[in-house]
Amino acid sequence: MPVLTYREAIRHALAEELERDPNVVVMGEEVAQFNGAYKVTEGLLAKFGPKRIVDTPISEAGFIGMGVGASMLGVRPVMELMFWSFYSVAFDQILNNAANVRYMSGGQINCPIVIRGPANGGTNVGATHSHTPENVLANHPGVKVVVPATPADAKGLLKSAIRDNDPVFFLENTILYGDKGEVPEGDVLVPLGRADVKRAGTDLTIVTYGRCVLHSLAAAELLAKEHDVSVEVVDLRTIRPLDIDTVLASVAKTHRVLIVEEQKPFASVGSQLAFMIQREAFDELDAPIHRLATIDAPAIYSPPVEVEQLPNPRRVLQAALEVLA
Amino acid sequence: MTKKTSTTAEKKPETAAKSAGFSQAPINAGLSGEQKIGLFRTMLRIRRFEERSLRAYQAKKIGGFLHLYIGQEAVAAGCCSLMGKDDHVITAYRDHGHAIAVGMDTKGLMAELYGKATGCSKGKGGSMHYFDPTRNFWGGHGIVGGQIPLGTGLAYALKYQGKKGAAMAFMGDGAVNQGAVHEAYNLASLWNLPVVFVIENNGYSMGTSQERSSAGELAQRAAGYDMEWGQCNGHDVYEVRATMDKFLSKAREQSRPSTVEIDTYRYRGHSVADPDNTYRSKAEIEEYRRTKDPIQVFQDQLVAAKVLDAAIVEKIDAEARAEADQAADFAEASPFPTPDDIQKDVYWEADNPSERKSHGRLFFE
């Protein structure tokens, strides 16, 4: 199987979908001539030309709203936010217009838009550029939210997202862009809303997504070696729709749960998961559900300290031991 | 505070003389008597619908807000009468006039106000959120200025798909101060999109007059984006059509955007919740009603041209009133949506389960 970086996997998904459907347009700041702020779209302008790969001004409310309007008439825009953190300046377009237009029109209008870009901390860019808005986005019925952790998932999920008739928000990670992994060749889709057990285990379930999957896998390795604990790592991959069944099946096996997320703790994705697990699997639990999140403050700049603010393998390990105690 | 005097009148002293000429503009001169009566009928139907909906609101049949279009009828009727099959319309929350002007059935519109399942948006949108994509009408949007990027996107799609149409993106005079509007102006001009931004300037952004909320001329701001702009008198449907025809043609033929400010006036408050006694005088409203009422102005023109006479006017008015009453009867007799309907029309996939590709839960409790 070919090995691709996460960045290349996304690029391949874009290129394949551009090839497949003439309605697909890639649009965003620096995506064309500059070849992408993070080089995700490198080479696409040369291959598909300026009608399909479109540079926008720094004007998120304008161009995202424009994409929403174009999607109502059947264009399928894939909009790049240089950082998902910039969603705040386009909030009305994303969460009033894209999220609500189908409902408010009584189902007459679809909005098949994809908005993608990185949403992560850990790169020392401070509080304004380190938002992880998956909980905020998923709080809006009508939208779908995807957070891939691996190159194969990134490609397969993005292809599904572009073909989806509902608005899909696709949250990548700048730190993962260079990570390599095997990616199946050809037109292989990963359906939205299906979690993936990234590591099987029997003593503890870690429910996680995005880059925290990698931290959890690293911690699981250490837990196996140093503590003789068998950890199952469930990667949600999609936040909404949510594959709670896979989570519950794992809980029924391990009876202990740690949620790991790069979110601020208050009303996070993990908060929702913890509610659902206790509600639907209370009798399976041998310990209170635990959750490891980002330390509750705006993202700190200081490079060595930011590592400690975010979940990392050491913090995951520690939290896991607390659940197992 | 009073409504800012129309800059059109100030800057173009020939306006009054020209006004008589607008009926002879090519786009108007070609209208048959029947078509002129059709325009008149549309305006009157809007007014009677609005008056009927106000009574329904006062009878507590309607919830939430109700932003009436009374006084502005020539704008929606004039602009929408110019639409071809690839022309599209989007507007803000004062949307009843546009919906009627594009041809939506008033029964569905009234039922939507009543929150009924037979409403044009199945009782899910309400007064501010009328939609009918089959008539190229894309809402009905509640956030001031928020629809303007969407309208720009409609124009983008037209251009992308190689269609020779134009989008009309309507906003009020208050919307010109929203950032999203300016971002849309820039994109439309930068990318040569076929959109006409229409500012329906009724003088007040809610209860704040234009001179207390906006610096400079409203339409002229488009010049900063290298966009053509114009102003016109919105009390004369002929002038609205003549002006809009010019800019719509430019959009369709040359794919260039423009901004048109149409001077108009609303007789009612911002919404029916506005007591309308703090920011303008009754005398000002009365003056507009007496001298500039768009329906009366057009009626006088058509009577003078012997297209209409008192008997026809009376007949059209009786029909418009009857239609509004029938719409209210229809709304009254219609069922409400059920709690089971709340989670329908949220996701395309949930409403089309046989074609669903995703897995997992879409809804939560």
Side-chain angles (χ1 to χ4, degrees):
Chain A
M1 210 184 289
V3 172
L4 298 178
T5 62
Y6 185 97
R7 169 189 287 113
E8 289 164 339
I10 294 167
R11 186 188 305 146
H12 285 207
L14 292 170
E16 288 173 19
E17 295 306 301
L18 282 157
E19 195 77 63
R20 185 187 61 79
D21 182 351
N23 288 313
V24 174
V25 179
V26 169
M27 197 179 278
E29 293 155 12
E30 316 283 11
V31 297
Q33 197 178 61
F34 193 81
N35 275 317
Y38 285 97
K39 302 296 174 226
V40 170
T41 54
E42 189 165 33
L44 295 182
L45 174 64
K47 185 158 186 208
F48 294 99
K51 186 180 176 191
R52 312 288 304 283
I53 314 296
V54 183
D55 278 326
T56 68
I58 300 174
S59 185
E60 286 86 1
F63 76 77
I64 296 276
M66 207 196 66
V68 172
S71 78
M72 302 191 308
L73 266 184
V75 177
R76 300 185 84 92
V78 182
M79 318 293 284
E80 177 171 309
L81 279 174
M82 191 180 293
F83 292 87
W84 257 104
S85 285
F86 305 159
Y87 85 122
S88 53
V89 294
F91 201 96
D92 183 47
Q93 300 303 325
I94 298 172
L95 293 166
N96 255 329
N97 290 342
N100 290 338
V101 73
R102 178 175 172 80
Y103 195 69
M104 294 196 308
S105 67
Q108 297 181 83
I109 296 172
N110 296 325
C111 181
I113 193 173
V114 174
I115 304 175
R116 52 156 288 274
N120 57 282
T123 57
N124 324 130
V125 289
T128 56
H129 284 57
S130 303
H131 291 284
T132 52
E134 58 269 21
N135 57 332
V136 178
L137 299 171
N139 189 249
H140 293 78
V143 313
K144 295 171 179 172
V145 182
V146 182
V147 192
T150 68
D153 287 347
K155 183 180 173 192
L157 287 163
L158 183 55
K159 287 169 71 78
S160 291
I162 293 171
R163 297 183 196 188
D164 202 285
N165 287 333
D166 294 308
V168 182
F169 305 147
F170 197 87
L171 281 62
E172 302 160 11
N173 190 310
T174 53
I175 296 172
L176 298 181
Y177 279 142
D179 280 14
K180 289 180 178 163
E182 290 190 333
V183 179
E185 237 170 328
D187 196 29
V188 179
L189 277 71
V190 176
L192 306 190
R194 189 168 272 171
D196 184 39
V197 177
K198 287 284 196 284
R199 177 191 175 105
T202 53
D203 301 330
L204 169 70
T205 295
I206 295 181
V207 187
T208 184
Y209 60 91
R211 183 174 169 231
C212 287
V213 170
L214 308 187
H215 298 324
S216 300
L217 288 169
E221 198 66 30
L222 289 172
L223 284 159
K225 276 192 194 140
E226 296 171 12
H227 300 273
D228 197 25
V229 173
S230 167
V231 176
E232 180 145 306
V233 176
V234 177
D235 175 5
L236 293 175
R237 301 197 290 195
T238 302
I239 306 303
R240 188 170 186 152
L242 183 67
D243 180 3
I244 193 68
D245 291 345
T246 296
V247 174
L248 296 175
S250 180
V251 174
K253 196 161 83 170
T254 66
H255 310 293
R256 288 170 193 269
V257 182
L258 170 66
I259 297 161
V260 180
E261 58 184 349
E262 190 181 318
Q263 286 253 278
K264 303 298 177 350
F266 195 98
S268 69
V269 169
S271 308
Q272 173 66 19
L273 277 169
F275 165 76
M276 293 173 77
I277 295 166
Q278 65 81 30
R279 182 74 188 161
E280 300 185 36
F282 188 73
D283 292 338
E284 297 288 356
L285 292 170
D286 287 346
I289 299 165
H290 195 20
R291 183 263 307 272
L292 175 70
T294 297
I295 292 173
D296 199 15
I300 193 168
Y301 159 67
S302 179
V305 184
E306 191 187 11
V307 175
E308 292 307 313
Q309 185 177 11
L310 301 178
N312 56 45
R314 189 191 56 73
R315 289 186 67 212
V316 176
L317 181 102
Q318 202 171 15
L321 292 174
E322 287 169 28
V323 187
L324 292 160
Chain B
M1 241 356 114
T2 54
K3 185 177 185 294
K4 195 169 174 176
T5 315
S6 162
T7 50
T8 314
E10 275 173 1
K11 283 190 178 165
K12 301 176 191 162
E14 76 280 23
T15 294
K18 262 173 77 182
S19 182
F22 286 114
S23 67
Q24 295 311 310
I27 192 72
N28 294 325
L31 289 174
S32 67
E34 203 170 310
Q35 286 170 316
K36 289 174 184 171
I37 292 174
L39 263 176
F40 177 76
R41 188 192 308 275
T42 300
M43 289 163 65
L44 203 50
R45 286 174 60 231
I46 293 170
R47 179 156 307 179
R48 297 305 176 225
F49 178 88
E50 294 293 63
E51 289 167 348
R52 186 66 189 83
S53 67
L54 176 59
R55 291 210 302 282
Y57 190 92
Q58 287 161 341
K60 304 203 185 308
K61 299 289 185 186
I62 298 173
F65 300 132
L66 184 68
H67 306 90
L68 297 172
Y69 200 65
I70 298 173
Q72 302 187 201
E73 295 90 344
V75 181
C79 293
C80 296
S81 68
L82 298 166
M83 286 172 71
K85 76 171 173 50
D86 286 324
D87 295 329
H88 294 262
V89 169
I90 191 164
T91 187
Y93 43 78
R94 197 178 306 282
D95 59 349
H96 306 175
H98 308 77
I100 292 171
V102 300
M104 289 178 73
D105 189 330
T106 49
K107 288 192 174 75
L109 301 180
M110 191 67 84
E112 186 63 27
L113 299 182
Y114 278 61
K116 297 298 182 77
T118 54
C120 57
S121 299
K122 301 184 189 167
K124 292 178 171 175
S127 165
M128 300 188 284
H129 308 117
Y130 284 176
F131 294 86
D132 188 351
T134 67
R135 288 183 171 78
N136 295 359
F137 181 60
W138 300 93
H141 292 267
I143 303 297
V144 172
Q147 77 281 10
I148 300 302
L150 301 190
T152 308
L154 295 171
Y156 180 89
L158 286 171
K159 186 170 183 176
Y160 187 84
Q161 294 162 351
K163 292 180 178 154
K164 218 172 181 184
M168 284 186 274
F170 290 88
M171 68 190 105
D173 46 293
V176 301
N177 297 317
Q178 288 280 39
V181 171
H182 289 264
E183 295 193 26
Y185 278 6
N186 181 55
L187 290 168
S189 187
L190 189 68
W191 291 346
N192 297 310
L193 301 180
V195 53
V196 182
F197 300 107
V198 184
I199 303 166
E200 295 191 61
N201 184 356
N202 64 25
Y204 299 92
S205 48
M206 293 189 66
T208 305
S209 66
Q210 183 187 334
E211 62 191 37
R212 293 180 64 231
S213 57
S214 299
E217 293 299 330
L218 305 190
Q220 196 174 13
R221 295 182 185 187
Y225 299 95
D226 195 23
M227 209 192 309
E228 272 199 54
W229 58 281
Q231 293 171 311
C232 81
N233 165 18
H235 308 287
D236 175 3
V237 72
Y238 282 139
E239 182 169 343
V240 170
R241 279 172 48 88
T243 307
M244 284 299 292
D245 177 56
K246 186 177 102 182
F247 289 104
L248 282 170
S249 298
K250 195 171 178 67
R252 295 186 199 110
E253 306 298 327
Q254 298 166 42
S255 200
R256 276 300 294 168
S258 57
T259 298
V260 181
E261 177 184 348
I262 303 182
D263 189 46
T264 185
Y265 196 76
R266 61 168 157 77
Y267 298 165
R268 293 283 168 175
H270 164 71
S271 77
V272 291
D274 168 12
D276 200 5
N277 57 14
T278 55
Y279 58 90
R280 60 179 182 177
S281 67
K282 293 283 176 251
E284 178 184 293
I285 302 170
E286 207 35 57
E287 178 70 8
Y288 269 93
R289 274 187 194 277
R290 203 170 53 76
T291 63
K292 291 188 169 176
D293 184 84
I295 296 177
Q296 191 64 50
V297 166
F298 194 39
Q299 182 179 318
D300 293 347
Q301 287 169 323
L302 294 182
V303 169
K306 301 200 186 316
V307 173
L308 278 182
D309 60 28
I312 304 174
V313 170
E314 200 172 319
K315 181 168 179 283
I316 292 170
D317 194 21
E319 286 166 358
R321 287 173 192 276
E323 179 190 350
D325 283 339
Q326 283 159 14
D329 292 345
F330 172 81
E332 186 71 46
S334 292
F336 287 105
T338 68
D340 285 344
D341 294 321
I342 292 173
Q343 289 186 320
K344 292 176 187 160
D345 305 311
V346 180
Y347 290 97
W348 181 88
E349 271 203 321
D351 299 332
N352 296 276
S354 64
E355 294 173 76
R356 184 173 175 189
K357 301 275 196 312
S358 78
H359 301 262
R361 284 192 205 169
L362 282 165
F363 295 100
F364 299 85
E365 52 191 47

